[in-house]
């Protein structure tokens, strides 16, 4: 680093990337390779080549393929939880909340860079360690929905949580199917279909408090 804090130039005169910049570059390359080939078929050589670095540079940041995949899945899982929590806080109208919860999962699988989609890929359960990250994120999403259902429906926690499991399960299964089906029907139609199904079950069968319609 120079005295000003800027990255030192390389021999070719280009600014040298900071460690965080290099890490972000490697993760972007890995995301593309894993997204195209899956965990098992992806190779560190190809990831390094896509990032434009040597394998030793890649291994300086990530000792192995599993470490790289774990970093991607953990980031994606955390973003999924943030997305669901934001959806539940986005409105006090219960019907709109159900719609927002369902939409959150379709947003995950249709994310532009494909990052959050990793949570729903088959290879995400490649190892028990990766499966644990996904399971923990799913539980956190269920907690976020449970909190709202408990407050609005006046149910005891175990009943509220079971309802939350149902809503999250419906949303994840539908979103995963939609991804595998080539993102058809169109996104807004798919969200409307599933949120209507969920709302008719939740809104019609439980005494939701203010905000229900």
């Amino acid at each position: 680093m120079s005295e000003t804090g800027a990255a030192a130039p390389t021999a070719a005169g280009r600014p040298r990337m900071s460690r965080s910049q290099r890490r972000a570059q490697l993760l972007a390359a890995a995301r593309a390779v894993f997204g195209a080939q899956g965990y098992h078929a992806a190779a560190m050589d190809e990831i390094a080549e896509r990032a434009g670095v040597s394998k030793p540079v890649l291994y300086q940041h990530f000792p192995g393929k599993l470490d790289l995949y774990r970093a991607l899945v953990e980031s994606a899982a955390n973003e999924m939880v943030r997305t669901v929590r934001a959806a539940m806080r986005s409105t006090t109208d219960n019907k709109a909340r159900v719609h927002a919860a369902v939409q959150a999962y379709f947003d995950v699988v249709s994310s532009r860079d494909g990052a959050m989609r990793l949570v729903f890929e088959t290879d995400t359960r490649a190892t028990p360690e990766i499966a644990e990250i996904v399971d923990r994120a799913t539980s956190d999403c269920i907690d976020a929905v449970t909190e709202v259902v408990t407050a609005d429906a006046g149910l005891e926690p175990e009943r509220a949580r079971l309802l939350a499991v149902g809503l999250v399960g419906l949303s994840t299964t539908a979103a995963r199917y939609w991804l595998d089906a080539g993102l058809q029907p169109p996104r807004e139609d798919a969200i409307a279909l599933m949120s209507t199904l969920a709302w008719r079950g939740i809104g019609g069968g439980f005494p939701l408090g203010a905000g229900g319609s």
Side-chain angles (χ1 to χ4, degrees), residues 10-178:
T10 64
R14 296 187 300 273
R16 189 183 301 279
M17 285 187 179
S18 68
R19 184 171 181 81
S20 61
Q21 289 172 327
R22 179 67 75 191
R23 179 182 172 87
Q25 178 200 30
L26 296 174
L27 287 172
R31 186 181 303 122
V33 175
F34 284 132
Q37 300 190 23
Y39 173 75
H40 295 291
M44 293 292 271
D45 300 52
E46 185 173 355
I47 293 169
E49 181 180 350
R50 188 176 185 92
V53 302
S54 64
K55 280 182 67 178
V57 169
L58 178 58
Y59 282 114
Q60 284 175 9
H61 291 263
F62 300 99
K65 185 168 73 169
L66 181 58
D67 300 282
L68 187 50
Y69 196 66
R70 184 197 306 115
L72 282 172
V73 173
E74 195 154 33
S75 175
N78 290 339
E79 183 61 27
M80 182 181 77
V81 174
R82 285 192 290 270
T83 299
V84 172
R85 284 176 176 162
M88 299 312 294
R89 296 169 183 159
S90 64
T91 179
T92 57
D93 180 87
N94 290 310
K95 185 175 182 179
R97 274 180 177 152
V98 169
H99 184 278
V102 172
Q103 179 176 317
Y105 286 94
F106 281 83
D107 287 345
V108 167
V109 300
S110 60
S111 59
R112 183 170 300 177
D113 63 1
M116 289 193 291
R117 189 180 301 180
L118 280 173
V119 178
F120 286 156
E121 299 289 355
T122 303
D123 275 359
T124 346
R125 310 193 79 81
T127 71
E129 184 179 1
I130 299 298
E132 183 181 355
I133 293 172
V134 177
D135 290 343
R136 183 171 63 247
T138 300
S139 181
D140 288 345
C141 290
I142 291 170
D143 288 344
V145 178
T146 299
E147 182 180 346
V148 171
V149 173
T150 300
D152 285 354
L155 295 176
E156 55 268 35
E158 60 270 20
R159 292 178 183 270
R161 187 169 182 81
L162 184 57
L163 275 180
V165 169
L167 179 58
V168 170
L170 176 149
S171 302
T172 54
T173 301
R176 184 180 292 115
Y177 171 82
W178 182 70

Side-chain angles (χ1 to χ4, degrees), residues 98 196-208 212-213:
V98 169
T196 298
L197 173 63
W199 175 247
R200 285 180 177 173
I202 295 174
F206 300 93
L208 294 175
S213 58

